[in-house]
Amino acid sequence: MKIALACDHGGLNLKKEVIKYLTENGYKYVDFGTNSFDSCDYPDFALPAAEAVASGECGKGIIICSTGIGVSIVANKVPGVRCAHCHDSYCAEFTRRHNDANVLAMGEKVVGIGYALKIVEAFLTTEFEGGRHQRRVDKITAIEKKYCK
């Protein structure tokens, strides 16, 4: 499975650490940028990463900005994406178990690098439980279809 990665200038340091983690743990990834600390617009990078997940090019995504809020808003506009903005590993684990989230959003200025990597690990290694949770994910998908015409 490939992981879609993206950040703006406010998330570049954390993205570099996530890349090290992914490489050390045998994950393949596609980097949608940015690779510069010059001021830029987070939608320009979060959108192609989210689209790569929605299309199936990548199995999951990790997107980063200063707070994680902006990139999560962008990603959740893409049909088929269930982006979870997480500040802790518990939420990362349970958004996978119960929501089948396929994109993780984090804020570099909110979560320290060491803890962020624990969040990434929880997100990437936890499986969706299905069962009663599938019914709920199906309802989310139905809402998406209703409004994304």
Side-chain angles (χ1 to χ4, degrees):
M1 168 181 50
K2 286 190 284 186
I3 310 300
L5 291 177
C7 70
D8 68 358
H9 58 283
L12 184 55
N13 287 317
L14 180 52
K15 187 183 79 168
K16 288 178 179 183
E17 295 299 321
V18 170
I19 287 172
K20 286 181 195 173
Y21 172 88
L22 295 175
T23 302
E24 290 170 2
N25 288 281
Y27 290 97
K28 294 180 177 162
Y29 64 89
V30 179
D31 186 349
F32 290 92
T34 191
N35 292 300
S36 168
F37 290 106
D38 294 338
S39 182
C40 61
D41 299 331
Y42 57 84
D44 297 339
F45 306 98
L47 178 61
E51 290 173 333
V53 173
S55 74
E57 175 188 347
C58 295
K60 291 181 183 155
I62 301 170
I63 55 179
I64 307 163
C65 64
S66 293
T67 64
I69 296 168
V71 291
S72 69
I73 292 169
V74 170
N76 278 315
K77 299 295 183 189
V78 177
V81 169
R82 288 176 305 284
C83 179
H85 179 209
C86 296
H87 293 136
D88 60 66
S89 57
Y90 179 85
C91 289
E93 176 185 347
F94 277 84
T95 198
R96 285 288 310 130
R97 286 181 189 248
H98 293 183
N99 311 121
D100 199 18
N102 52 12
V103 177
L104 169 66
M106 294 187 294
E108 179 179 309
K109 294 191 182 348
V110 179
V111 182
I113 288 172
Y115 198 54
L117 298 179
K118 292 185 183 304
I119 294 168
V120 167
E121 179 180 27
F123 183 78
L124 294 177
T125 61
T126 303
E127 296 296 323
F128 178 51
E129 289 180 0
R132 71 183 191 274
H133 304 294
Q134 183 62 57
R135 182 179 70 245
R136 296 164 185 158
V137 170
D138 291 344
K139 289 180 179 188
I140 293 169
T141 301
I143 293 167
E144 183 178 81
K145 288 179 181 176
K146 178 180 177 181
Y147 288 99
C148 294
K149 295 180 181 181

